[in-house]
Amino acid sequence: MNPRNRFNKKNADQPLASDGFRQSFFHPFLPSRIISKGAALLRGKTRLLAVLVLVLVIAGGTGIRIQATFSSPNFDPHRPEGQLMSDPALLFYLTERIIAGGGLPPVDFRSDRRVAYPLPSDLPAMFTVGQEFYLAWGYLLFGKNLPLHVYCVIAMGLFASLAVIGVFGLTRELTQSDGWAAFAGAVFMLTVANYRTIGFILVREDFSLPVFSVHLWLMLRAMRIRSGKAYALAGIALVAAVATWHAMVFVAALEIAAIVGWYLRTGENPLSAPGAWTLPALLMTGGLLIPVLRAKFFLLSWPMLLVIALLLMAHIERYNRLKPYMRLTAVAITGLTIFGITCFFSNDYSHVANFMWNKVIHLGLLPEDPNRLSFGARLLWQGPFMTLWPPDIFWQLGATGIFLAAGLVWAGKSWWQGRGDHRIQILLIFAAMATVCSLLVQRLMVLDGLLVPVITALLLSRIPQLWTWPWSRVLGGALLCLQIPVLALMLPVMADTTWYPDSESRNLARFIDWTRTNLDDKGAIAADYVNSSAILAHTGHPVVLQPKYETLSSRQRIEQFLTTFYHGSPEAFYGLLEEWDCRYLLVDGRTMSALRYQAGLPFSAVPEAGTAAWSFLSRQAAIYTSVPFFRLIYTSRGMPPTWRLYRLDPLQQPGKGPTDSEH
């Protein structure tokens, strides 16, 4: 009798606990009961050891993140001023407000007037609020003796390292081996791509990506178990991931697109399981109840509609088996519907689709003429959204890049043949699409960093043992040894890389100190969207621009600000700021000069004489001190000063200098 007959069909694909022991040398000489007990004991010890390795990897990853940040010469453990700007400063502001409320949302959480003054902002509908509560609650419980930014480094270092749990679970699910799961966790810890956010104190992906990694594990598990409870767990994790990072909606779309692709090729539909409807049901529930998902029309998003299409196709195919061309037609109709809905409704995310399209047609090269791009594409095409060149993949992935290439070849072969374990094939297709997207947007290398350890363990686990020599283990050990020097070489470089050079951080900190002392009227300050969030977080002054431009209104406001600054007169610029009820204007010469491309000027262009930019960015004191309608009241150190604060003054006439300054 085949011992596998003792198992039901659901578990038929799992190996018996004693399979490895039965193949050992001692099997013919030992009774079956001893074999079973020995195998169970060996498996228990292996699992305990694997869990211990997992805990050590989490501790090691956390330690690397914390130590690399604290050891940076630019990190100040005593005060956050000057170290937080753009997105992290906005997260810091939200976290501070929740802490001030004792862990509860502030009274004006749904109508905050300081983020986009003077308009009220519904913060949980505008931003993917999530990690702020995790940080605020933890700080109130454990971190009151630490500066908040120091606690944030520690807490987010730990949470970001928890992504290895999903890597461990994915590998364990696909290899049925605790040892290879522990190996994948170690590879994850030693891969540079998984430390992109070191030194930034607060970044949203550090909170969302670990949750998404757990979702991937639970999703592949649900495909095997095929129960409603398993799909529900996967759905809960996916809702939590997309609700805590705007970009995760597009990552989820890649995942579901991989499932759709394999379904079109083979007809295998993971949502054909009886309880699979719980996944789209939970996504719909989250889309209705969570403010940011409701505001972004998540129910009409790519991942949501693709999941519904898969569920409908599964229902249809229960009664009528469709031909491949019929499946393709149905999915094509769904795709066209999504495209139409996206064009009509999803204005908040329209700049992303336009940006990716321009990346493709310009082969990843930023056009010299900015007017060949829409404003939304110009706004997004900067910093972590720049193109990643193939040689840089080596520094991001190290030796595992070879296994990524092998995995992509494996994915292509499986697609051509149309057979294989559908869970592995879907994961490989997802990795292939993630690699293409990471070349277009370097920030998405975090997906390769998440998937490559799993693919590496999968490939090594399939290498046969020759002449009793464990080649797979030898190669795995060599791989870990190669990863260590690459990580050791790259980490200091990444930790010292900040959005501002040290001189600009000092300028920001000095400006904040001066503002706290000299501006007691709490009037709104107009500034670029990078510095605005730092001003908001550390001074309490309302600002008119904010760096999270995932809403159409925020992008329009930034466009209006930059266009008027670079193409309008000082009088026109004054009129715009007066309309927004601003009392002050901060001009950071370095940042505003870098934003000229977004305003429609090539990087090499000089602002036209007579424009506001020509006056405010001038190096001649006679010009920048006597801008009509603006009275200069503060300048930074150095000649010429790069930081200048003006008070809006309709009586200011040319020739009048500053009334007060830092000197």
Side-chain angles (χ1 to χ4, degrees), residues 120-138:
S121 298
D122 187 348
L123 299 183
M126 181 181 291
F127 307 124
T128 50
V129 180
Q131 73 188 95
E132 296 89 340
F133 285 97
Y134 158 74
L135 290 168
W137 295 339

Side-chain angles (χ1 to χ4, degrees), residues 126 145 184 211 329 489 617:
M126 181 181 291
N145 295 325
V211 180
T329 302
L489 180 65
L617 299 179

